[in-house]
Amino acid sequence: MSAKHPQGQDHGHDHAHQGSALPDVALRVKALEDLMIEKGVIERATLDRIIETYETAIGPRNGARVVARAWTDPAYKQRLMQDATAAIAELGYRGAQGENMVVVENTPGIHNVIVCTLCSCYPWPVLGLPPVWYKSAPYRSRVVKDPRGVLQEFGVTLAAETEVRVWDSTAELRYMVLPMRPASMEARSEPELAALVTRDGMIGTALL
C-alpha cells in the first residue's frame, strides 16, 4: 500500500484518464443519458433527482453507518483504523472503488480533508457518487494550497492550533474521514448517531 500524502505531496497518480476531460466510461454514460433524454425515456429533471439521491442519501448512509459503528464499538473502530477495507466489508459495503480504503480520524488537534488532485477518485461504496464540487478543478487545486480558506468557505472555522491534513486519493488508495463524535450525543443509539453524519463530514468539509 502506498504511503499517505498529506498537504498535496506528489504521489505519482497513474490514472488511465489523466489526459482527457472524462474517462471512457463516463463519456459512454453521458452519451447514454443524452440519448435517453432525447428519446423521451427519461426527463433530465428526473435523472437529476436520481443522481442527487445517490450523491446525498443512499451512498453516504453507508458511510454514516460505518462512522456510527466506530463511535459506539471500540473493537470495530480499532479494526477500522487498522484495515478499513475489511472493517467496512463487515457491514456489507465493498466493491469497485472501495478497495484499499484508509480511514483518517479527526481529533481535537487534527482535522482531515480528502481530495483527488488529478481527477476525482472517491470511495463510492461508502460515500455514493462524488459531488460536483469535489470533481471541480478549483476544489482540487485550492484545498491543497489553502485548506483552511476552503474549509471556511464550507462554513468550517478551525482553531489556529488545529493541524489540517489533506489526503490525496489515488486510483489504488481512497480515504474517508472519521469525524469526532459530538460529546453531547453519548446516550444516542447507533442509528441516531448515523443520522447525524453527513457526506461532507466524511470528506472533511464539514465537522459531522
Side-chain angles (χ1 to χ4, degrees):
M1 184 179 293
S2 58
K4 65 182 182 181
H5 310 287
Q7 301 296 354
Q9 296 176 11
D10 177 50
H11 53 53
H13 270 69
D14 186 22
H15 301 341
H17 53 277
Q18 286 181 21
S20 60
L22 289 172
D24 290 342
V25 172
L27 287 171
R28 290 197 295 270
V29 169
K30 186 178 186 305
L32 181 59
E33 290 176 357
D34 291 343
L35 180 61
M36 291 174 67
I37 292 169
E38 179 183 343
K39 298 296 185 181
V41 175
I42 191 170
E43 295 182 353
R44 184 170 297 279
T46 301
L47 184 60
D48 289 344
R49 285 196 296 272
I50 293 171
I51 292 173
E52 182 180 6
T53 298
Y54 275 89
E55 284 183 343
T56 62
I58 296 175
R61 289 303 91 205
N62 297 346
R65 185 182 172 209
V66 172
V67 170
R69 177 65 58 85
W71 283 348
T72 57
D73 185 339
Y76 179 79
K77 178 182 176 181
Q78 183 177 13
R79 296 196 300 276
L80 182 69
M81 303 310 294
Q82 291 176 345
D83 186 346
T85 306
I88 290 169
E90 289 180 28
L91 300 185
Y93 310 132
R94 58 172 65 86
Q97 305 202 44
E99 311 92 344
N100 297 325
M101 288 288 301
V102 172
V103 170
V104 290
E105 182 181 11
N106 285 350
T107 69
I110 297 173
H111 184 88
N112 299 284
V113 61
I114 63 173
V115 66
C116 179
T117 53
L118 291 187
C119 58
S120 56
C121 291
Y122 192 75
W124 287 30
V126 284
L127 295 189
L129 301 177
V132 173
W133 55 262
Y134 181 87
K135 298 182 287 184
S136 70
Y139 174 78
R140 299 196 328 254
S141 61
R142 292 184 57 233
V143 76
V144 172
K145 299 175 183 177
D146 181 22
R148 288 181 182 274
V150 171
L151 289 174
Q152 285 183 337
E153 292 174 11
F154 278 92
V156 178
T157 301
L158 302 171
E161 61 270 19
T162 301
E163 178 186 354
V164 180
R165 295 181 180 177
V166 179
W167 300 84
D168 200 347
S169 293
T170 71
E172 293 77 30
L173 188 65
R174 287 172 171 80
Y175 296 95
M176 176 178 137
V177 175
L178 176 62
M180 286 191 293
R181 176 175 175 167
S184 60
M185 303 294 176
E186 294 179 357
R188 296 289 185 96
S189 67
E190 184 178 314
E192 289 174 327
L193 290 170
L196 301 174
V197 182
T198 68
R199 175 200 64 195
D200 289 6
M202 293 179 283
I203 295 175
T205 52
L207 297 178
L208 275 179

